[in-house]
Amino acid sequence: MAQATASNCRRSSGPVDLFWSISSEDRHLNQKTLIRLLVFAALFYGGMEWAHYYRIWFVGILLAAVVFGVLDYFEKKRAVEPLREELVHLRHSAEIAERAVMQLRSARTELESWLDSMQEAVVAIDVSGRIEWVNERMRRVSGGSVRIGDALVHTLRDPEVLYCVRIALEKREACERKTQTLAPGRSFDITAAPTPAGGAVLVLHDITQIEQVERTQRDFVANVSHELRTPLTSISGYVETLLDHEPNLSPQAQEFLGIILKNGTRMNRLIEDLLALAHVESEESKLNPTPVAAAQLLGDAADAMSTLLQDFGVTLSFGPISGGLVLADRDAMHQVLTNLIENAVKYGNPQSRYSPSLFLGGDTTPAPPPERARVELSAVETGDMVQFSVRDFGAGIPSEHLDRIFERFYRVDKARSRESGGTGLGLAIAKYIVTMHGGNIHAESELGHGSTFIFTLPLAQ
């Protein structure tokens, strides 16, 4: 009985259940269809009424069909309109993306053209050490063995190149080296630098022609110096003989001979420095580094310069001195220290202090009466290096000259250099020798308070 009652209830509510059981989209479509039928019936009925009076009953049917078609057209238009707008938007986005891709391709092609036109060989390496890109110059240098996708270690077996690339990839630091084994008869400066993506860029600069020119210059200077040394020695010897053993010389003749001797001596010093520079820069020059006490290097240099210190009235003092041993060629470092001490004696005299306008081309203004000149030597340990210092208390060096004073023939004050007999080569020789020992050299200065020349040497292990 209960089941029959339930069945009757379901039958009594059948149309309602049937309506609500339909999905929301189907109900929406049924509602639309119902509305259309109602509109059609109303228009048909109106049309029949009109036909009753005017005997054209088919007008109602025609009018209903027209309205039904118009409604259907606008409904489809409303449904398609959002889709069409979306398609237009997608097409616009696709056009923008296509233009961006074209611009990237154009920029990449232009960059590759620039890199291919470079005189330097360039290789891009990814984080795994494989070649991502290579320019035309690198292909020529390697004989075509460098190919994109190959591991660099399998294509370039030069140890200096691989060392720099490993430093750039693992330590994320720039590395610079020099190699002469990458290509027969060629020399290259190597530069490897890390990239933000984790890889590295390797650049090889061919310096073969530069080295040939420098070698020619060194040979020319050495040959000319050797040829000039003998006649200049003879001239100086004869002039000294006349001045010492000729009592009948007039004062004017003695003055002229003194000028000849002074300039001859200066020329001899210049030739000696040129020969020394040619020697340390030659391929035949070999260092013989041995463990030696830092204090002994300073003491030997001070003893060798004692006469010059007395002639200029300069006091030599010692600062802190490390008791450690450095790895150095004793003769070469003796030359470095004597050059620096001589430079400090001649240009660090307080009597030579002037206002900064001296170095700027203005008028010179003497300072108040100065104290006695002084030079200080020191050597302190800094990590695995020993830092040597030669300090004077003279006029100082303007900051714009500090980066250039180690160049050949460079002088801060040319007039003072000529007066003191300087050749402009002493600091260049010192820098070259220190660099060959694996150290570095630089100068610090403050106008009116003197200058300090500092160089480092490795500790003996």
Side-chain angles (χ1 to χ4, degrees):
M1 187 69 176
Q3 293 178 354
T5 303
S7 177
N8 292 334
C9 291
R10 284 195 296 269
R11 284 195 300 269
S12 63
S13 58
V16 177
D17 291 340
L18 180 61
F19 177 79
W20 290 109
S21 66
I22 302 174
S23 64
S24 59
E25 295 182 358
D26 293 338
R27 286 201 306 270
H28 183 64
L29 293 175
N30 291 335
Q31 291 173 1
K32 288 183 178 180
T33 304
L34 181 61
I35 292 172
R36 290 175 179 175
L37 290 175
L38 292 175
V39 172
F40 175 79
L43 292 175
F44 182 78
Y45 176 77
M48 290 303 294
E49 288 294 324
W50 190 27
H52 176 73
Y53 290 106
Y54 299 100
R55 301 290 188 269
I56 49 174
W57 55 269
F58 62 91
V59 174
I61 298 174
L62 181 62
L63 183 59
V66 171
V67 173
F68 184 82
V70 170
L71 290 175
D72 186 66
Y73 167 76
F74 281 106
E75 182 178 356
K76 290 181 178 179
K77 184 177 180 181
R78 285 194 301 271
V80 173
E81 188 68 26
L83 181 59
R84 189 180 69 174
E85 292 178 356
E86 188 68 22
L87 290 174
V88 171
H89 178 71
L90 288 175
R91 185 175 64 181
H92 182 65
S93 300
E95 291 176 352
I96 294 176
E98 184 178 3
R99 287 196 297 269
V101 171
M102 293 296 294
Q103 290 176 355
L104 288 175
R105 288 178 179 174
S106 176
R108 181 181 177 87
T109 302
E110 187 175 3
L111 177 60
E112 290 179 354
S113 300
W114 289 347
L115 293 174
D116 283 337
S117 64
M118 292 175 58
Q119 295 298 317
E120 290 78 12
V122 183
V123 182
I125 305 108
D126 63 15
V127 67
S128 63
R130 294 191 173 275
I131 298 172
E132 285 186 319
W133 187 87
V134 58
N135 71 342
E136 186 62 29
R137 175 65 174 170
M138 188 65 203
R139 293 188 181 95
R140 294 198 299 267
V141 169
S142 63
S145 63
V146 177
R147 292 182 295 272
I148 296 175
D150 292 348
L152 183 69
V153 68
H154 295 157
T155 56
L156 293 179
R157 300 183 181 275
D158 186 87
E160 299 296 337
V161 172
L162 297 179
Y163 173 81
C164 280
V165 172
R166 186 171 66 253
I167 293 298
L169 290 176
E170 297 178 358
K171 297 185 177 181
R172 312 301 298 162
E173 298 176 355
C175 177
E176 295 182 357
R177 285 285 179 113
K178 180 180 176 181
T179 181
Q180 295 178 333
T181 59
L182 182 62
R186 315 294 296 180
S187 297
F188 293 91
D189 275 339
I190 307 168
T191 303
T195 60
V201 174
L202 173 67
V203 180
L204 303 178
H205 179 60
D206 193 340
I207 58 172
T208 306
Q209 292 184 353
I210 297 175
E211 288 190 340
Q212 290 175 350
V213 171
E214 291 180 346
R215 190 180 303 112
T216 302
Q217 290 177 342
R218 288 195 299 267
D219 294 342
F220 172 78
V221 170
N223 293 333
V224 171
S225 299
H226 278 294
E227 295 297 328
L228 291 176
R229 177 189 249 174
T230 301
L232 282 173
T233 302
S234 299
I235 292 173
S236 299
Y238 282 121
V239 170
E240 289 179 353
T241 301
L242 288 174
L243 288 174
D244 293 339
H245 302 287
E246 182 57 52
N248 298 324
L249 290 175
S250 65
Q252 189 175 20
Q254 291 181 356
E255 180 183 358
F256 290 165
L257 289 173
I259 294 174
I260 294 173
L261 180 60
K262 178 181 177 181
N263 286 279
T265 303
R266 181 171 177 271
M267 288 294 296
N268 275 322
R269 287 179 53 82
L270 177 60
I271 288 173
E272 293 296 332
D273 286 346
L274 286 172
L275 290 173
L277 183 60
H279 173 70
V280 298
E281 290 183 341
S282 66
E283 297 178 356
E284 293 78 15
S285 176
K286 300 294 183 182
L287 293 177
N288 183 28
T290 57
V292 57
Q296 185 175 358
L297 290 177
L298 294 178
D300 292 345
D303 292 340
M305 302 300 293
S306 59
T307 302
L308 181 68
L309 293 168
Q310 293 176 1
D311 292 342
F312 279 80
V314 177
T315 301
L316 181 68
S317 61
F318 293 92
I321 297 180
S322 168
L325 301 178
V326 295
L327 194 62
D329 185 302
R330 184 174 300 183
D331 293 335
M333 294 316 303
H334 181 79
Q335 185 173 10
V336 171
L337 286 168
T338 54
N339 283 356
L340 294 178
I341 294 173
E342 181 179 1
N343 187 77
V345 169
K346 291 183 177 180
Y347 304 106
N349 194 325
Q351 295 180 1
S352 64
R353 288 184 183 173
Y354 295 94
S355 66
S357 61
L358 170 65
F359 302 102
L360 302 177
D363 296 331
T364 59
T365 305
E371 68 277 8
R372 183 180 174 87
R374 181 164 59 96
V375 173
E376 181 181 276
L377 307 180
S378 63
V380 295
E381 293 187 20
T382 56
D384 58 349
M385 307 289 282
V386 173
Q387 178 176 286
F388 292 81
S389 301
V390 179
R391 182 184 180 188
D392 66 66
F393 299 85
I397 304 172
S399 58
E400 62 268 21
H401 296 285
L402 291 177
D403 292 334
R404 300 194 59 190
I405 56 177
F406 293 98
E407 297 177 6
R408 302 176 190 179
F409 301 108
Y410 188 83
R411 299 180 179 90
V412 176
D413 182 10
K414 295 179 175 58
R416 289 181 60 197
S417 295
R418 286 192 296 268
E419 181 182 351
S420 61
T423 63
L425 291 173
L427 294 180
I429 294 172
K431 180 179 180 179
Y432 198 90
I433 294 176
V434 170
T435 303
M436 290 177 64
H437 279 80
N440 58 73
I441 185 170
H442 68 281
E444 299 175 357
S445 183
E446 183 179 357
L447 288 180
H449 296 278
S451 306
T452 304
F453 287 83
I454 303 169
F455 69 91
T456 58
L457 291 177
L459 279 168
Q461 301 298 327

